[in-house]
């Protein structure tokens, strides 16, 4: 599984290039199921979640071929299997996009209930199911699987009870080849939803309004292969911005869409950090103390929940008391008990964390319970006095490409070591 050993206290200087967006890639790759012909997908991030979703499609009959490190050809034309390979699917959340795409193409699908980040609270998929049913599918959840089938899918109006990224994407996928027009109201507006819609439109779909809360999908008969480049990862960029802010120094973050980072830049600026935006890069600089701020997570364009652990970690060493409200998930503060081991002063009550800034954090052995929690602990380790060991880093490698190399290039002291095999420390029989 491996762990990171971090010797903290070094400012960061230099530049880092952001990879393609994880959450766009894991939606666009299964969307290729709807396409006849080869989808050449560029700017693919080198992370384990992407490798996994490609492996799942391959096992279902797709032809997958890497052209270079960041470009992959996916051809789902030969695919006939409409049931996912269970064990692999249960490892990641986004495997549920296969459901919408299979339903859209074959009018039937059977997909294992998704895994992925476990924050401690429930992550229901009732809105996905409601959308599929509204389109005319018969949906059942049994034996750990979701099955959906329909004689035909017919466009309709669907109002989402909660703003859900996954449900918005899944309904778009199922509606792409439905008869007539589907209108999704109270849709999520995240950049990767726009990216998915752009991908599908470039292959022949007719999707309008992505990026607003009303999305209209006019069904088409066929989608044809083509080439598409994935947007840069908003959260990876935000994580390096937070890294520069917590460590101090001066970092140029390249290959970003600054507009996607507005809520993060604005909040960092309030803490006393300088964020300068350029066309496709941002510079983050800090040479003075950090100030406490309050923030609430919201669906896009609000402050992203996927930056909440990293931002909260920064506030652990800001002067004063900060209040963080998590509005997207019921429970996403599990990681704070790990930060407490490093000297953080955080009190959590339901959806709110009260963070009293301390002078500095100190190194400890901590455990990454999910992807962003893991990223937050890496940031804590970079800023802490002494040595931090972050365990269970497979969570981090699901979503951050070459994080050790990228941070090392910025001057951080971080290395990955593989876990040693467990040794039996009991004395051998007969030994004294
Ligand atoms: N929800 C429901 N019913 C549903 C769907 C969602 O009640 O049918 C609730 C959820 O429980 C949650 C809220 O709605 O409280 C928002 O969930 P959403 O569906 O938007 O989340 P998701 O699609 O499961 C994606 C990202 C997450 C990110 C969220 C919110 C992917 C693969 N995952 O998850 O990313 O936190 O949107 O922005 O796109 C991450 O990258 O670390 C990560 C967890």
């Amino acid at each position: 599984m491996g762990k990171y050993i971090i010797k903290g206290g070094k400012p960061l200087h230099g530049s880092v290039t952001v990879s393609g967006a994880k959450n766009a890639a894991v939606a666009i790759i299964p969307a290729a199921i709807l396409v006849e012909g080869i989808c050449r997908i560029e700017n693919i991030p080198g992370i384990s979640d992407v490798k996994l979703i490609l492996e799942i499609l391959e096992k279902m009959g797709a032809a997958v071929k890497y052209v270079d490190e960041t470009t992959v050809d996916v051809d789902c034309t030969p695919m006939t299997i409409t049931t996912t390979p269970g064990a692999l699917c249960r490892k990641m959340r986004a495997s549920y996009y296969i459901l919408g795409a299979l339903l859209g193409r074959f009018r039937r699908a059977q997909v294992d209930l998704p895994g992925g980040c476990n924050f401690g609270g429930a992550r229901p998929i009732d809105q996905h199911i409601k959308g599929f049913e509204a389109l005319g599918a018969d949906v059942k959840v049994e034996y750990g699987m979701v099955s959906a089938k329909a004689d035909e899918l017919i466009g309709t109006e669907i109002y989402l009870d909660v703003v859900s990224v996954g449900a918005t994407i899944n309904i778009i996928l199922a509606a792409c080849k439905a008869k007539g027009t589907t209108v999704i109201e109270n849709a999520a507006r995240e950049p990767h939803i726009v990216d998915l819609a752009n991908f599908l439109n470039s292959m022949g779909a007719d999707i309008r309004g992505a990026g607003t809360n009303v999305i209209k999908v006019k069904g088409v008969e066929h989608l044809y292969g083509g080439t598409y480049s994935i947007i840069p990862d908003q959260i990876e960029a935000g994580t390096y911005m937070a890294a520069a802010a917590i460590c101090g120094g001066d970092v140029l973050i390249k290959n970003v869409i600054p507009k996607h980072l507005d809520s993060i830049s604005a909040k960092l600026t309030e803490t006393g950090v300088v964020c300068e935006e350029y066309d496709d890069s941002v510079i983050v600089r800090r040479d003075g103390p950090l100030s406490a701020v309050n923030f609430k997570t919201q669906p896009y364009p609000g402050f992203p929940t996927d930056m909440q652990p990293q931002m909260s970690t920064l506030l652990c060493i800001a002067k004063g008391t900060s209040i963080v409200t998590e509005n997207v998930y019921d429970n996403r503060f599990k990681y704070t008990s790990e930060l407490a081991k490093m000297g953080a002063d955080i009190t959590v009550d339901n959806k709110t964390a009260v963070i009293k800034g301390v002078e500095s954090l100190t190194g400890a052995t901590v455990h990454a319970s999910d992807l962003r929690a893991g990223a937050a602990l890496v940031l804590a380790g970079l800023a802490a006095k002494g040595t931090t060991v972050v365990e269970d880093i497979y969570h981090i490698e699901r979503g951050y490409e070459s994080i050790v190399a990228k941070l090392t290039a910025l001057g951080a002291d971080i290395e990955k070591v593989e876990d040693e095999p467990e040794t039996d420390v009991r004395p051998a029989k007969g030994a004294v």
Side-chain angles (χ1 to χ4, degrees), residues 99 109-111 113 129 133 137-149:
L99 185 62
Q110 201 176 25
V111 171
L113 280 166
I129 294 173
E133 286 178 340
D138 182 20
V139 186
K140 280 200 190 98
V141 181
E142 49 190 15
Y143 307 111
M145 299 193 91
V146 193
S147 314
K149 60 174 188 250

Short mmCIF file of all heavy atoms in Angstrom, two decimals, residues 99 109-111 113 129 133 137-149:
data_model
loop_
_atom_site.label_atom_id
_atom_site.label_comp_id
_atom_site.label_asym_id
_atom_site.label_seq_id
_atom_site.Cartn_x
_atom_site.Cartn_y
_atom_site.Cartn_z
N LEU A 99 -23.60 2.80 -15.72
CA LEU A 99 -25.04 2.49 -15.71
C LEU A 99 -25.79 3.39 -16.69
O LEU A 99 -26.54 2.90 -17.55
CB LEU A 99 -25.55 2.69 -14.27
CG LEU A 99 -26.98 2.33 -13.95
CD1 LEU A 99 -27.24 0.85 -14.17
CD2 LEU A 99 -27.28 2.65 -12.48
N ALA A 109 -28.86 -2.47 -18.25
CA ALA A 109 -27.57 -2.40 -17.57
C ALA A 109 -27.68 -3.03 -16.19
O ALA A 109 -28.74 -2.98 -15.56
CB ALA A 109 -27.17 -0.94 -17.40
N GLN A 110 -26.57 -3.60 -15.76
CA GLN A 110 -26.51 -4.14 -14.40
C GLN A 110 -25.13 -3.78 -13.85
O GLN A 110 -24.11 -4.22 -14.39
CB GLN A 110 -26.69 -5.65 -14.45
CG GLN A 110 -27.15 -6.19 -13.14
CD GLN A 110 -27.43 -7.66 -13.18
OE1 GLN A 110 -26.89 -8.40 -14.00
NE2 GLN A 110 -28.27 -8.13 -12.28
N VAL A 111 -25.13 -2.95 -12.84
CA VAL A 111 -23.87 -2.38 -12.36
C VAL A 111 -23.78 -2.54 -10.84
O VAL A 111 -24.77 -2.32 -10.14
CB VAL A 111 -23.80 -0.88 -12.76
CG1 VAL A 111 -22.62 -0.18 -12.11
CG2 VAL A 111 -23.71 -0.74 -14.28
N LEU A 113 -23.10 -1.69 -7.07
CA LEU A 113 -23.21 -0.42 -6.33
C LEU A 113 -21.80 0.13 -6.11
O LEU A 113 -20.86 -0.61 -5.83
CB LEU A 113 -23.93 -0.64 -5.01
CG LEU A 113 -25.46 -0.69 -5.16
CD1 LEU A 113 -26.10 -1.23 -3.90
CD2 LEU A 113 -26.04 0.67 -5.51
N ILE A 129 -31.55 7.19 -9.80
CA ILE A 129 -32.63 6.22 -10.06
C ILE A 129 -33.90 6.95 -10.48
O ILE A 129 -34.56 6.57 -11.45
CB ILE A 129 -32.86 5.34 -8.80
CG1 ILE A 129 -31.61 4.49 -8.57
CG2 ILE A 129 -34.11 4.47 -8.95
CD1 ILE A 129 -31.60 3.68 -7.29
N GLU A 133 -35.82 6.34 -14.00
CA GLU A 133 -37.24 5.94 -14.00
C GLU A 133 -38.08 6.95 -14.79
O GLU A 133 -38.96 6.58 -15.56
CB GLU A 133 -37.76 5.80 -12.57
CG GLU A 133 -37.20 4.53 -11.92
CD GLU A 133 -37.62 4.33 -10.46
OE1 GLU A 133 -38.01 5.33 -9.80
OE2 GLU A 133 -37.52 3.20 -9.97
N ALA A 137 -37.23 3.85 -17.53
CA ALA A 137 -36.55 2.59 -17.18
C ALA A 137 -37.17 1.97 -15.92
O ALA A 137 -37.70 2.68 -15.07
CB ALA A 137 -35.07 2.85 -16.95
N ASP A 138 -37.05 0.67 -15.88
CA ASP A 138 -37.46 -0.06 -14.68
C ASP A 138 -36.16 -0.31 -13.91
O ASP A 138 -35.24 -0.94 -14.42
CB ASP A 138 -38.10 -1.37 -15.17
CG ASP A 138 -38.60 -2.20 -14.03
OD1 ASP A 138 -38.80 -1.63 -12.94
OD2 ASP A 138 -38.77 -3.43 -14.23
N VAL A 139 -36.06 0.22 -12.69
CA VAL A 139 -34.79 0.14 -11.95
C VAL A 139 -34.98 -0.66 -10.67
O VAL A 139 -35.95 -0.45 -9.94
CB VAL A 139 -34.27 1.56 -11.59
CG1 VAL A 139 -32.88 1.49 -10.96
CG2 VAL A 139 -34.24 2.48 -12.82
N LYS A 140 -34.04 -1.56 -10.43
CA LYS A 140 -34.11 -2.37 -9.19
C LYS A 140 -32.75 -2.33 -8.52
O LYS A 140 -31.71 -2.40 -9.20
CB LYS A 140 -34.40 -3.83 -9.53
CG LYS A 140 -35.84 -4.12 -9.81
CD LYS A 140 -36.07 -5.64 -9.64
CE LYS A 140 -37.43 -6.01 -10.17
NZ LYS A 140 -37.41 -6.55 -11.52
N VAL A 141 -32.75 -2.27 -7.18
CA VAL A 141 -31.50 -2.41 -6.44
C VAL A 141 -31.62 -3.70 -5.65
O VAL A 141 -32.47 -3.81 -4.77
CB VAL A 141 -31.28 -1.21 -5.48
CG1 VAL A 141 -29.96 -1.37 -4.73
CG2 VAL A 141 -31.30 0.10 -6.25
N GLU A 142 -30.82 -4.69 -6.00
CA GLU A 142 -30.85 -5.94 -5.25
C GLU A 142 -29.51 -6.67 -5.37
O GLU A 142 -28.80 -6.50 -6.36
CB GLU A 142 -32.01 -6.85 -5.69
CG GLU A 142 -32.11 -7.04 -7.17
CD GLU A 142 -33.39 -7.74 -7.61
OE1 GLU A 142 -34.35 -7.84 -6.83
OE2 GLU A 142 -33.40 -8.19 -8.77
N TYR A 143 -29.20 -7.43 -4.34
CA TYR A 143 -27.94 -8.19 -4.28
C TYR A 143 -26.71 -7.31 -4.54
O TYR A 143 -25.76 -7.71 -5.21
CB TYR A 143 -27.96 -9.36 -5.29
CG TYR A 143 -29.17 -10.25 -5.14
CD1 TYR A 143 -30.15 -10.29 -6.12
CD2 TYR A 143 -29.33 -11.05 -3.99
CE1 TYR A 143 -31.27 -11.10 -5.97
CE2 TYR A 143 -30.45 -11.85 -3.83
CZ TYR A 143 -31.42 -11.87 -4.82
OH TYR A 143 -32.52 -12.66 -4.67
N GLY A 144 -26.74 -6.07 -4.06
CA GLY A 144 -25.58 -5.18 -4.21
C GLY A 144 -25.41 -4.62 -5.60
O GLY A 144 -24.35 -4.10 -5.95
N MET A 145 -26.44 -4.78 -6.43
CA MET A 145 -26.33 -4.27 -7.81
C MET A 145 -27.53 -3.39 -8.15
O MET A 145 -28.60 -3.52 -7.56
CB MET A 145 -26.32 -5.43 -8.80
CG MET A 145 -25.16 -6.37 -8.62
SD MET A 145 -25.02 -7.45 -10.04
CE MET A 145 -23.91 -6.55 -11.07
N VAL A 146 -27.33 -2.48 -9.11
CA VAL A 146 -28.44 -1.71 -9.65
C VAL A 146 -28.69 -2.25 -11.06
O VAL A 146 -27.77 -2.33 -11.88
CB VAL A 146 -28.10 -0.21 -9.81
CG1 VAL A 146 -29.37 0.59 -10.06
CG2 VAL A 146 -27.37 0.32 -8.61
N SER A 147 -29.94 -2.66 -11.32
CA SER A 147 -30.29 -3.12 -12.67
C SER A 147 -31.29 -2.13 -13.24
O SER A 147 -32.20 -1.68 -12.54
CB SER A 147 -30.96 -4.47 -12.65
OG SER A 147 -30.27 -5.33 -11.80
N ALA A 148 -31.11 -1.80 -14.50
CA ALA A 148 -32.05 -0.89 -15.16
C ALA A 148 -32.34 -1.44 -16.54
O ALA A 148 -31.44 -1.90 -17.24
CB ALA A 148 -31.45 0.51 -15.26
N LYS A 149 -33.62 -1.42 -16.93
CA LYS A 149 -33.92 -1.80 -18.31
C LYS A 149 -35.14 -1.03 -18.80
O LYS A 149 -35.99 -0.60 -18.00
CB LYS A 149 -34.07 -3.30 -18.49
CG LYS A 149 -35.14 -3.97 -17.70
CD LYS A 149 -35.20 -5.44 -18.14
CE LYS A 149 -36.39 -6.10 -17.52
NZ LYS A 149 -36.24 -7.05 -16.55
#
